[in-house]
Each structure stands twice: as structure tokens, then as C-alpha cells.
Amino acid sequence: MLSKAGLEILDVLCSGREATTQELAAETEHSRKHVYRVVDDLLDAGLLDESRCHHNQRVVRATDDPVVEAYRHLTSKLGHVDWPELLSPATIRVCWYLDEPRRITTIADRLGITRQAAHKALSPLKNRAMLAPSGPDYALADDLEPLLSFVQEVVTHEHRTRARNIAPSATVEWCDPKRALVHVQEPEDTDALQHAPDWEMTGLAKFQAYGLQFFLAGEPAFWYAPDNPLTPADIVCQTLVLEADSRNVSYAMLLIEQEQINEDELIETAVWYGIESVIARLYRLIEEDSDTTDDAGISLPSAREYAALKEQYGVA
């Protein structure tokens, strides 16, 4: 996650200029040793490029990484704000959840922190009137869309970097500040993530743990969520996030029935993935045992097709 010093260095370089580490130390008022360490981190993250000038001095410049571009956009639209002073790593994580009105307890629970810690992370925004009034809920003010875009890029970049350090072909399919769903393209990356701590296979590849074994086309998906067990409700949602074609939809419905997943529980989980309406439609098809029209961008099996699939896998 970007530190205050990292943002201060981006502030200096986002205009397109180059600077030596000595110049960065002078402009940010950090020690040269600290600037060297932060610059190394930004280089490793792909946010800076480096060259050498006379006397072999390091010269760095900002790249066109989406994080850098989002920060450029943020500072161009809201340049009067001291963003390095405002955006601690904790504030960035909390901001992720402010795309819509949410209660502080909901945000704290999702991040696994105390309400006091969530309030502390929000206080810089509240002190600058950056939150839209929504009763007991919090959301970013309407004109802060560039901040939300930047926060989303930072969090996604963090997960992408973590995954690709282990599996270079990994792509992030969904994430929040503490969790990520990634897909890989190469068998060696599958093997690497299978043996990596904090990563767990998910999607259709995980169905075999529930007595439902399917042919898997391509490499499996993986889930990163330290200290958060992977539930059947999560697996259903992740399967549909990866691909909401008729095959994945049918198998997701099988897992719902096989594990007798409660509708309210699954819809509560689906809210975080943005597919609660899809889940509600699946339950209507399961419970009514009849066809339903497809008006939500997903491919639903017919009642007859699904009944045949249930019989094939012995799902009551």
C-alpha cells in the first residue's frame, strides 16, 4: 500500500519531470536513506522507472501505470488537497467501501478492524467535508469520484503485484482491500499458487470438495483471503463472477441445492460481489422449477436442462 512518502514522491514526479533521489529527499524533506528505500519499493511496484546520469546518480520518473494515471487525474481535478497528508493506507482501505452509503460497523467488520479504527481512518475525510450525509451511513461526496478511482487502482495493484510475484500469468478478476479472486493461464502458476500460503483454489475446481466433480477447461481460479474461510456461498458467487454462462450458472445452482445454502445468507454474500439480483433469480428458478426470462446478462438453463443435470449428479 502506498505510504505518505510514496505519495509525496509521486506528487513531485506526476507532472512528468525527472528527479534524482537527492532532489526528492530535499523536496519531500525525508532522509536520503528513507527516500532510497521508498523509491526502491515504487520501482519494484512498477510505478517508477530509473536511469543513471552523471556520477552514476539515480534519476527516476513516474510510469504510466494505472495507479500513477489515477493519481495524476486526482491531483489535476482536486489539486488543492494535500493528498499525501490525507491518505494513509488505512484511509485508502476504508475509502474503497465508500462507493455507496455504508455503516461504519459494516466497513469495520469487512476489514476486520474495530469501529474506532474505522472512524480514525475516516476522520481526515470528515474534517474536510468529503463525506456525503447519509444518515448513519457514510459515502464519498459526489465530486470525489477521482478519489474513488485512485483507491480502486491502488488496491487492485496491490493484489495484482502479490499474485504475480508467485504466478506471473495471474489476472485479478475481483478484489476488495483484504480479498482477491485471480485467474491464471499457465499450469506452473497453478502449481505455484496451490503451494503458496493464503491462497486457495476456488470456482468450479472447488466443487469436488462437495461431491460435485466437473471437467475444468483451462486453469483454475484462486482466492486470497487470509484468516477468512472460503464458504460455499463465496464459491457460488466467485463462480458467477468468473463467468455467468449457462454452465457456471447451472453448476452454481447445483451447489446451492447440494449444500442447502440459505437464500438470505447467499444474497448477503452476493452484495459484496455486486450480483445479488443474479442470485435472487437463481433461487426463483430453483424454487419455481420453471423457466425464467434472461434480462440480466446471464445465461439461465431451462427447467428441463437443470432437472436433467440434477439427476445426473444425484442432487435431490
Side-chain angles (χ1 to χ4, degrees), residues 66-314:
V67 171
V68 177
E69 290 301 295
Y71 192 65
R72 283 189 173 118
H73 182 63
L74 174 62
T75 54
S76 70
K77 295 296 184 181
L78 300 160
H80 60 284
V81 179
D82 185 353
W83 294 111
E85 188 66 33
L86 188 70
L87 294 179
S88 68
T91 301
I92 288 175
R93 290 186 179 96
V94 171
C95 275
W96 173 275
Y97 295 104
L98 300 181
D99 58 327
E100 61 181 70
R102 288 196 170 99
R103 297 197 173 190
I104 200 71
T105 53
T106 302
I107 296 172
D109 289 346
R110 189 70 179 167
L111 285 172
I113 60 177
T114 65
R115 284 179 293 173
Q116 290 79 7
H119 276 296
K120 182 178 180 181
L122 277 180
S123 61
L125 303 178
K126 288 190 287 187
N127 294 340
R128 291 164 177 79
M130 291 183 173
L131 299 179
S134 301
D137 299 339
Y138 289 97
L140 285 176
D142 291 340
D143 60 349
L144 288 177
E145 187 278 332
L147 172 57
L148 182 61
S149 296
F150 173 65
V151 166
Q152 291 169 342
E153 291 293 353
V154 170
V155 170
T156 303
H157 182 278
E158 184 178 22
H159 285 301
R160 185 186 302 115
T161 301
R162 178 186 293 108
R164 288 185 178 171
N165 283 340
I166 304 170
S169 71
T171 56
V172 177
E173 303 294 333
W174 178 93
C175 67
D176 73 9
K178 292 196 68 177
R179 304 159 187 81
L181 174 66
V182 307
H183 200 242
V184 298
Q185 305 300 321
E186 302 297 333
E188 55 268 30
D189 288 345
T190 294
D191 185 65
L193 286 176
Q194 281 182 302
H195 293 89
D198 299 326
W199 290 91
E200 187 171 0
M201 198 177 292
T202 189
L204 292 182
K206 190 67 175 178
F207 280 44
Q208 62 182 332
Y210 301 93
L212 300 170
Q213 178 119 20
F214 310 116
F215 170 74
L216 188 66
E219 300 303 313
F222 287 86
W223 178 240
Y224 174 83
D227 305 320
N228 291 108
L230 185 60
T231 68
D234 280 312
I235 295 168
V236 167
C237 292
Q238 291 158 16
T239 299
L240 296 174
V241 167
L242 289 165
E243 183 65 60
D245 61 5
S246 59
R247 180 171 183 259
N248 280 23
V249 169
S250 298
Y251 292 159
M253 290 165 62
L254 278 183
L255 187 58
I256 289 171
E257 294 211 70
Q258 170 85 358
E259 295 303 304
Q260 298 182 2
I261 304 174
N262 177 270
E263 182 176 0
D264 290 339
E265 173 195 343
L266 184 50
I267 288 179
E268 183 179 351
T269 301
V271 166
W272 297 106
Y273 296 91
I275 59 169
E276 59 270 30
S277 63
V278 172
I279 295 299
R281 285 165 57 77
L282 298 194
Y283 274 97
R284 288 203 302 274
L285 181 56
I286 290 170
E287 294 167 357
E288 297 172 7
D289 192 29
S290 61
D291 294 335
T292 181
T293 58
D294 177 15
D295 56 7
I298 61 172
S299 299
L300 296 171
S302 69
R304 179 178 297 179
E305 289 171 338
Y306 182 58
L309 190 65
K310 286 177 63 176
E311 182 177 357
Q312 177 184 346
Y313 285 96

Side-chain angles (χ1 to χ4, degrees), residues 38-56:
V38 175
V39 164
D40 284 341
D41 289 342
L42 295 175
L43 287 166
D44 289 342
L47 305 185
L48 297 184
D49 281 333
E50 179 185 55
S51 60
R52 298 280 175 167
C53 65
H54 58 282
H55 303 305
N56 205 34

